[in-house]
Amino acid sequence: LSLPPSLPQTVSPVCYEVTSLEHTLTRAEEWRQLTDFRGDAAQTKASGIMASIGDFDPLHVNIPATKVEITISGRNLLDRDTFSKSDPICVLYLQGIGNKEWREYGRTEAIDNTLNPDFVRKFLLDYFFEERQNLRFDLYDVDSKSSNLSEHDFLGQAFCTLGEIVGSQGSRLEKPLVGIPGKKCGAIILTAEELGNCHDVVAMQLCANKLDKKDFFGKSDPFLVFYRSNEDGTFTICHKTEVVKNTLNPVWQAFTIPVRALCNGDFDRTIKVEVYDWDRDGSHDFIGEFTTNYRELSRGQSQFNVYEVLNPKKKAKKKKYINSGTVTLLSFAVHTECTFLDYIRGGTQINFTVAIDFTASNGHPAQPTSLHYMNPYQLNTYAMALKAVGEIIQDYDSDKMFPALGFGAKLPPDGRISHEFALNGNPHNPYCQGIEGVMEAYYRSLKSVQLYGPTNFAPVINHVARYAASVKDGSQYFVLLILTDGVISDMAQAKESIVNASCLPMSIIIVGVGPAEFDAMEELDGDEIRISSRGRYAERDIVQFVPFRDYVDRTGNHVLSMARLAKDVLAEIPEQFLSYMKSRGIKPSPAPPPYTPPGYPFQTQL
């Protein structure tokens, strides 16, 4: 926790990490806002550990975010002192997801008498690929020991997203400072580095001996449930082993788990392990529990890692109770895996393409009932989905040029039906400048084409697949966003296209817009059953489908609706990205060396 800053602060060689309790509480509240929108079903799912242990899905467990460390430098800052140079300090603000309010997160130290500071104190932030994490950096010239910023001279500010920093070459972003009319305020340099322990993955195996017998006609069917402890004393499920049938001396299969999922990088944080007897009806019988931590487990197989399984209720009732068996750690090994950010730092580009449904079932764009209605006062659902996803992905594409396609319309001048046309009207160059350029091309197309049909996905999937097939070296990855209102017309062809694309560096996001039933779309989303075509199965799951209506905020807060949508549809992209790179044995390119502008010394602190 950061203490209230006193100004000015002397420079220390220690690298400070700034976090804040208020920020932790704020993020918890925002997480509740983001997730508390599916009514009773969500409440039921969240309530009661017993109800959830049997349904625990390790693919969708809420693993803590990767942590990145932000380092800040200033160059050519304004000189606000008469007889010496400025004494700069930098203040970081984070923006709330729903209300857009800026909250102070922390401050660097103040550095005396320099216009080119390299601040020693770092900011430690949770990083989520699927969120737009807005940051604001304000610089001040410190004039007194007061912590009230209004008593110091403002030197300028810069706005960016955390994605912009990590998505820049070498995770280094330089931006001009603004905020003082008519003045050149210099520049701020922001660099991001992922913390090392976020890369570590643990492989471990456990067995048990003489567990309590729970089944009337046989022995127990034991399994283990792992929980990591949270800052507030609660526990979050992070792993569940398989069930070993009809034994009191089970040996479970070895499993792997990221260190951050097991203990969030805190080696002394409590890990609780519960032992259950599996029952077919889901009312699993509690055998007992024990606690440990990462540091203890890392000792490997030894007398320190034999744990008594204790049942508190039994212990309270029976004087002669000793334990309900023991669990022994058989093996424990740690290896470092490449992360999504390793590839981004090494220069891998994310290429974003959007394909929009222009079929007649959307309704005429001039009618308020149309899903394509061009409301002068607010975005329609298509535009909201496009903006929500696109504004996050654009941070990982250096040229910010995005192909934008339409399908299911009759095109001028001859009225031919097209399922793969450029929204900007240029079939040879369908690229638009930034997400705003895509939005403009979308609105122009609504005025020039005739909505028609049918709803065919295969042509736009094949369009992106052709590009992905030409770049398989890990330098580029392709994400296709399909926005549609209806049931797909070319299911067989679309499935074949997806199966073919599953071996390419690409992912597909499908957002269903409007009130239609999208049951058939679930078949394309391979979460439950891997998609197949003509007897061939997809090499990996590359499709994520969601209906937008599930994300609409009950209070009409469109910003919150868009944040919820983006969070859900983009959450799988890093894992899909990594699954491709691992399957092809592609390692990230080394990050470029730290950049020092010519003419600037390495150390400018006085």
Side-chain angles (χ1 to χ4, degrees), residues 181-231:
K183 296 268 189 182
K184 288 188 175 179
C185 300
I188 189 169
I189 300 170
L190 306 165
T191 56
E193 184 174 357
E194 187 175 13
L195 291 197
N197 65 17
C198 298
H199 299 228
D200 292 344
V201 175
V202 171
M204 67 173 115
Q205 185 176 23
L206 300 103
C207 68
N209 190 39
K210 296 181 180 177
L211 295 177
D212 284 353
K213 180 176 179 294
K214 289 287 185 178
D215 291 346
F216 189 73
F217 293 110
K219 298 172 184 176
S220 294
D221 305 318
F223 66 93
L224 302 177
V225 183
F226 286 72
Y227 302 85
R228 70 169 182 275
S229 60
N230 302 315
E231 299 287 353

Side-chain angles (χ1 to χ4, degrees), residues 189-419:
I189 300 170
L190 306 165
T191 56
E193 184 174 357
E194 187 175 13
L195 291 197
N197 65 17
C198 298
H199 299 228
D200 292 344
V201 175
V202 171
M204 67 173 115
Q205 185 176 23
L206 300 103
C207 68
N209 190 39
K210 296 181 180 177
L211 295 177
D212 284 353
K213 180 176 179 294
K214 289 287 185 178
D215 291 346
F216 189 73
F217 293 110
K219 298 172 184 176
S220 294
D221 305 318
F223 66 93
L224 302 177
V225 183
F226 286 72
Y227 302 85
R228 70 169 182 275
S229 60
N230 302 315
E231 299 287 353
D232 60 1
T234 59
F235 287 89
T236 299
I237 188 170
C238 59
H239 182 74
K240 189 181 77 170
T241 68
E242 80 283 5
V243 177
V244 181
K245 292 291 189 73
N246 199 31
T247 179
L248 303 181
N249 303 297
V251 178
W252 289 282
Q253 293 175 16
F255 64 90
T256 60
I257 183 171
V259 169
R260 67 181 189 277
L262 191 61
C263 64
N264 207 12
D266 179 353
F267 293 171
D268 297 305
R269 181 175 294 199
T270 299
I271 298 167
K272 182 171 72 171
V273 183
E274 293 179 341
V275 187
Y276 286 92
D277 167 40
W278 178 85
D279 284 332
R280 188 178 300 277
D281 63 3
S283 60
H284 312 301
D285 298 316
F286 179 68
I287 295 175
E289 64 186 14
F290 63 91
T291 60
T292 182
N293 59 48
Y294 179 92
R295 200 175 299 281
E296 286 291 322
L297 292 170
S298 65
R299 294 185 180 191
Q301 187 178 21
S302 69
Q303 72 269 29
F304 299 107
N305 279 314
V306 178
Y307 299 95
E308 284 191 296
V309 177
L310 300 177
N311 187 320
K313 287 186 178 178
K314 270 193 169 185
K315 191 174 183 180
K317 287 180 183 177
K318 297 182 179 181
K319 289 184 179 179
K320 293 184 179 180
Y321 176 81
I322 300 174
N323 59 45
S324 296
T326 59
V327 170
T328 301
L329 179 68
L330 294 176
S331 63
F332 185 94
V334 183
H335 65 280
T336 300
E337 285 199 341
C338 298
T339 68
F340 175 70
L341 286 189
D342 287 333
Y343 290 92
I344 298 302
R345 276 178 66 82
T348 298
Q349 294 285 299
I350 307 285
N351 296 298
F352 176 57
T353 302
V354 62
I356 298 177
D357 182 336
F358 281 80
T359 56
S361 54
N362 285 283
H364 195 282
Q367 299 296 322
T369 53
S370 170
L371 296 169
H372 282 304
Y373 179 53
M374 291 187 282
N375 188 330
Y377 303 107
Q378 69 178 50
L379 299 175
N380 64 35
T381 314
Y382 276 95
M384 276 198 277
L386 168 58
K387 195 174 174 71
V389 177
E391 283 191 342
I392 291 173
I393 289 187
Q394 71 176 350
D395 289 340
Y396 302 88
D397 188 316
S398 59
D399 65 8
K400 306 286 186 284
M401 297 295 291
F402 306 114
L405 308 173
F407 59 91
K410 283 186 172 181
L411 306 187
D414 55 359
R416 66 183 177 87
I417 300 169
S418 174
H419 297 290

Side-chain angles (χ1 to χ4, degrees), residues 141-217:
D141 170 27
V142 174
D143 290 325
S144 70
K145 291 187 177 182
S146 171
S147 61
N148 185 347
L149 292 172
S150 64
E151 297 183 16
H152 306 281
D153 293 325
F154 180 62
L155 296 177
Q157 63 186 179
F159 298 83
C160 67
T161 67
L162 187 53
E164 265 185 278
I165 304 174
V166 301
S168 299
Q169 184 177 6
S171 295
R172 177 194 177 278
L173 178 67
E174 182 169 348
K175 299 204 80 162
L177 292 167
V178 297
I180 303 177
K183 296 268 189 182
K184 288 188 175 179
C185 300
I188 189 169
I189 300 170
L190 306 165
T191 56
E193 184 174 357
E194 187 175 13
L195 291 197
N197 65 17
C198 298
H199 299 228
D200 292 344
V201 175
V202 171
M204 67 173 115
Q205 185 176 23
L206 300 103
C207 68
N209 190 39
K210 296 181 180 177
L211 295 177
D212 284 353
K213 180 176 179 294
K214 289 287 185 178
D215 291 346
F216 189 73
F217 293 110

